Amino acid sequence: KTLNANAAVATWHQRLQRCGFKFLVAQLVGSLSGGPQQYTGRPMDVAHKHLNISPSEWTEFMRLIDIVCQELGLDSETNSELSNMFEGMRSDCVVEPGETAP
């Protein structure tokens, strides 16, 4: 609910989310973690900046990733690695104060 407080994100989740979204996330994580997968989606900034994701919304997203990792029983090292991978995309996804969303 918190992430969907952003109207653009909520609209995307409710109307625009493509069936292949989970597939692209799996590709992305596999690619970033050294697996054989190649990410075939749009660049992160093109896919996210227009959503006008705020720093606080990103913080909530990262909190939820941590919760999911814990629920899946991932060890702390794996959890940290996944969090670091996502955190590395922050500047491509978040619209910081003073920045304008495309």
Side-chain angles (χ1 to χ4, degrees), residues 6 11 19-20 24 33 38 50 69 75 86:
N6 175 323
T11 298
C19 295
L24 289 173
S33 62
Q38 294 297 311
H50 72 282
C69 287
D75 61 81
F86 282 107

Side-chain angles (χ1 to χ4, degrees), residues 19-20 40 65 75 83 91 97-98:
C19 295
T40 60
I65 287 175
D75 61 81
S83 293
S91 64

Side-chain angles (χ1 to χ4, degrees), residues 28-83:
L28 178 66
V29 172
S31 177
L32 291 173
S33 62
Q37 297 83 359
Q38 294 297 311
Y39 176 65
T40 60
R42 296 184 299 163
M44 287 295 113
D45 60 337
V46 173
H48 292 87
K49 282 286 191 173
H50 72 282
L51 297 173
N52 201 26
I53 298 168
S54 70
S56 62
E57 290 165 337
W58 181 263
T59 298
E60 178 63 9
F61 167 71
M62 293 301 297
R63 186 183 75 78
L64 293 172
I65 287 175
D66 186 58
I67 289 171
V68 169
C69 287
Q70 290 177 26
E71 288 176 354
L72 292 172
L74 299 181
D75 61 81
S76 61
E77 182 179 347
T78 302
N79 184 339
S80 179
E81 288 175 10
L82 284 170
S83 293

